[in-house]
């Protein structure tokens, strides 16, 4: 069984090829919200070909998208070019698979739900997933394994773009840890504010969220903290206290878990209808 899983984000599209339950290969491409189905097909064909794979080898497609125009484009691509109906990760399709305990479940981002499902499956609850991407998402799973919300903050790259875009004399910089918190030049001062400030943001929010999650958990519980997303390769991530695991492919695995659970549920329903008939 070859499953193509796609995490369609605002900055990048991350694509994974699963052979049964193993992630055989993954690729990352820049998101183009106005791309046509033909353009997406050409991009996907090229990426698969890099490692000797083809579109016509795929047995299934599963999508988690936060870019509505591309959701429709990828659905059309899967139907017309691959010949399969894609599985969508969203609150409605996860009913009975992942309990979503927030005010308006339909507003939960598909990537956040995929992260929650993967964390619950692999680590159990209570747990917190920190997704370091365009935005910085904190997704919480309680002791019962339900998704209970979290926090959303600007991502590191987005914050830098906003700062440079609004302050004409500030240069673009490399996002790395400066030699000291006190910047003796503009670049180091910006790196201090951006990188060390970001570490403080993540650490502070994590402390607050962990404390509230523990208040909801049985006595003696321990919260597992998992980091994922595009910035997990940064060496300064190790300065954030309390991170138990770094899993760059967590979202893709969550998409596969959602596809597997939906397939099993649909098969069970079909078998039940057959027995009833």
């Amino acid at each position: 069984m070859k499953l193509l899983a796609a995490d369609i984000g605002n900055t990048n599209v991350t694509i994974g090829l699963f052979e049964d339950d193993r992630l055989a290969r993954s690729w990352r491409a820049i998101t183009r919200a106005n791309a046509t189905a033909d353009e997406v097909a050409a991009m996907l064909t090229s990426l698969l070909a890099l490692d000797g794979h083809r579109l016509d080898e795929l047995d299934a497609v599963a999508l988690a998208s936060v870019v509505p125009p591309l959701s429709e484009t990828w659905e059309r691509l899967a139907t017309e070019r691959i010949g399969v109906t894609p599985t969508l990760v969203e609150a409605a399709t996860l009913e009975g698979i992942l309990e979503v305990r927030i005010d308006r479940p339909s507003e939960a981002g598909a990537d956040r739900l995929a992260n929650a499902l993967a964390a619950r499956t692999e680590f159990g609850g209570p747990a917190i997933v920190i997704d370091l991407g365009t935005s910085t998402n904190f997704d919480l799973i309680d002791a019962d394994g339900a998704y209970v919300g979290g926090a959303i903050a600007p991502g590191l790259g987005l914050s830098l773009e906003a700062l440079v875009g609004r302050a004409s004399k500030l240069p673009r910089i490399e996002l790395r840890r400066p030699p000291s918190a006190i910047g003796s030049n503009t670049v180091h001062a910006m790196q201090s504010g951006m990188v060390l400030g970001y570490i403080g943001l993540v650490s502070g929010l994590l402390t607050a969220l962990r404390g509230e999650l523990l208040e909801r958990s049985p006595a003696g519980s321990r919260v597992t903290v998992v980091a994922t997303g595009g910035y997990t390769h940064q060496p300064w991530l190790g300065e954030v206290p309390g991170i138990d695991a770094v899993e760059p492919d967590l979202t893709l695995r969550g998409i596969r878990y959602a596809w597997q659970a939906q397939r099993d549920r649909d098969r069970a329903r079909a078998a039940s209808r057959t027995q009833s008939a």
Side-chain angles (χ1 to χ4, degrees):
M1 171 65 71
K2 289 189 176 182
L3 166 72
L4 185 81
D7 173 23
I8 305 169
N10 289 294
T11 302
N12 293 117
V13 178
T14 305
I15 302 159
L17 177 65
F18 286 89
E19 296 179 346
D20 295 325
D21 60 354
R22 181 180 69 91
L23 180 60
R25 190 70 174 85
S26 64
W27 305 270
R28 186 179 295 265
I30 295 173
T31 299
R32 291 182 53 241
N34 60 349
T36 66
D38 289 339
E39 290 171 326
V40 172
M43 176 271 292
L44 189 54
T45 299
S46 297
L47 291 177
L48 288 167
L50 288 174
D51 295 279
H53 301 287
R54 305 189 312 273
L55 280 179
D56 59 11
E57 295 177 345
L58 302 177
D59 300 300
V61 174
L63 309 173
S65 174
V66 297
V67 186
L70 280 180
S71 303
E72 297 177 7
T73 301
W74 276 78
E75 287 183 58
R76 189 163 61 253
L77 162 69
T79 303
E80 297 177 359
R81 295 275 183 175
I82 304 174
V84 299
T85 300
T87 295
L88 305 181
V89 178
E90 53 190 15
T93 61
L94 291 178
E95 185 176 353
I97 297 169
L98 176 69
E99 185 177 359
V100 182
R101 295 180 187 165
I102 61 175
D103 293 341
R104 289 180 288 275
S106 62
E107 294 181 0
D111 54 343
R112 304 184 72 186
L113 296 177
N115 285 338
L117 182 58
R120 187 196 70 183
T121 302
E122 298 182 8
F123 299 96
I128 299 175
V129 179
I130 310 173
D131 193 338
L132 307 162
T134 304
S135 59
T136 302
N137 298 336
F138 296 77
D139 300 313
L140 277 65
I141 302 92
D142 70 6
D144 296 329
Y147 173 67
V148 294
I152 302 174
L156 184 56
L158 185 63
S159 298
L160 177 62
E161 289 297 322
L163 180 63
V164 173
R166 295 297 296 272
S168 58
K169 295 187 69 174
L170 294 181
R172 296 186 181 277
I173 60 168
E174 183 180 354
L175 288 170
R176 65 179 182 182
R177 197 191 196 287
S180 62
I182 301 175
S184 58
N185 56 62
T186 299
V187 170
H188 285 172
M190 291 178 66
Q191 288 175 333
S192 177
M194 293 301 304
V195 177
L196 298 185
Y198 186 72
I199 292 172
L201 179 150
V202 173
S203 300
L205 268 174
L206 182 57
T207 297
L209 294 169
R210 183 193 285 112
E212 292 185 13
L213 189 56
L214 282 173
E215 290 176 359
R216 303 184 182 191
S217 304
S221 296
R222 182 185 181 281
V223 177
T224 302
V225 179
V226 186
T228 191
Y231 284 102
T232 51
H233 65 283
Q234 294 290 341
W236 46 256
L237 184 61
E239 297 186 39
V240 179
I243 294 178
D244 299 294
V246 177
E247 301 286 347
D249 299 318
L250 187 74
T251 311
L252 290 176
R253 298 203 300 272
I255 295 171
R256 192 194 74 80
Y257 291 134
W259 167 80
Q260 178 77 52
Q262 290 185 54
R263 185 182 68 163
D264 292 346
R265 181 188 60 192
D266 293 343
R267 286 178 173 177
R269 287 175 177 174
S272 178
R273 286 194 297 268
T274 300
Q275 291 175 356
S276 298

